Amino acid sequence: MKIAVLGASGRAGSEITREAAARGHEVLAIARNPEKIATGERITAATGDASDPASLAALIAGSDAVISALHFDVPAETLLSAIREAGVPRLLVTGGAASLEVAPGKRLIDTPDFPEEWKTFAMGGITFLGALRQVDDVDWTFFSPAALIFEGPRTGSYRSGGDELVTDEAGESKISFADYAIAMVDELEAHKHSRERFTAAY
C-alpha cells in the first residue's frame, strides 16, 4: 500500500513509519521538520502542515491510507477536510488512553490518579474521537494505546481491545513504542476496526 504518515518525525510517527516500510509499504513521511524523519528504503520524507487542508490534500492525494500521529492541536474537521479533498479512502489516528473505560461508564481520565497536567491534552483526543464518531463518509479508525507508552523492545506481542483499558496481571497498562507501531500497522493491513476505536497493551 501507499501510506502517508503525518507527524512522522515524532516518537510514535517515526516507529510507525519504520514498521510500515519494513513490511513493504511505500511511506510518504510528512512533518514540519522533515530532516528529523527516519530514513530508509521505501520512505520518502516531505514537508507538510496539517493545519493547511488544501496543501495537505495535494501531498496525500493518491495514498491508500493516511496515518495521523499528530498532536490534537489540528482539529478533526481540518484533517478530514484534507482527506476528503484528496480522495483518500482511509484515516487511522493515533489517540490517547484517557477515554478508555476502567469500569462501566468510568473513563481513565475520571480516575483520581489521572494527572491534572495531562487533562488538557487528553481532552483534545477525546474531542477528536467524538468528532470522528459523527463521520460516516470517511473510513476512520482511532487507536487508543495503553496508558503508558515507553521506549522499549519490539516484542511483536500485545493484546487488543475495544473501549476498555487493557491491563496486565499487575493492573498495569503499557506498551513499547515499537509494539504500538506493530499494532497500528496490523490494523492498517487487517482492517478490523472500520469506524471504530481499538486499543492495545501487553
Side-chain angles (χ1 to χ4, degrees):
M1 281 186 273
K2 184 178 179 183
I3 311 302
V5 177
L6 309 180
S9 63
R11 287 186 297 178
S14 60
E15 289 286 355
I16 291 166
T17 294
R18 281 191 286 264
E19 181 67 26
R23 297 201 203 179
H25 300 291
E26 295 295 328
V27 182
L28 178 64
I30 301 170
R32 289 179 178 172
N33 300 298
E35 68 276 3
K36 297 180 181 179
I37 292 172
T39 58
E41 191 177 354
R42 292 182 291 275
I43 298 173
T44 302
T47 304
D49 182 357
S51 66
D52 182 345
S55 66
L56 181 61
L59 260 183
I60 63 177
S63 300
D64 297 304
V66 167
I67 298 177
S68 173
L70 298 168
H71 294 305
F72 295 112
D73 50 351
V74 177
E77 192 51 50
T78 301
L79 187 51
L80 288 164
S81 176
I83 295 288
R84 293 179 179 116
E85 186 175 338
V88 176
R90 289 182 68 195
L91 170 65
L92 297 92
V93 177
T94 64
S99 60
L100 290 168
E101 291 189 345
V102 296
K106 185 176 183 179
R107 304 171 301 175
L108 182 62
I109 195 173
D110 300 322
T111 60
D113 293 335
F114 193 89
E116 192 67 33
E117 64 271 21
W118 292 1
K119 286 187 176 180
T120 298
F121 177 77
M123 284 306 302
I126 291 170
T127 300
F128 200 103
L129 175 58
L132 287 180
R133 283 178 163 160
Q134 306 304 311
V135 170
D136 59 10
D137 65 332
V138 172
D139 188 355
W140 59 267
T141 300
F142 191 91
F143 177 21
S144 286
L148 173 64
I149 315 175
F150 63 96
E151 300 288 350
R154 182 186 190 279
T155 71
S157 177
Y158 62 88
R159 292 177 297 140
S160 59
D163 289 322
E164 294 80 35
L165 187 73
V166 173
T167 58
D168 61 18
E169 292 178 354
E172 296 181 338
S173 176
K174 58 187 179 182
I175 194 168
S176 71
F177 277 102
D179 288 330
Y180 172 96
I182 290 174
M184 178 60 97
V185 181
D186 282 351
E187 173 59 28
L188 170 72
E189 295 176 343
H191 203 169
K192 291 182 178 179
H193 299 93
S194 177
R195 297 192 182 94
E196 289 181 347
R197 180 252 293 277
F198 79 102
T199 186
Y202 295 139

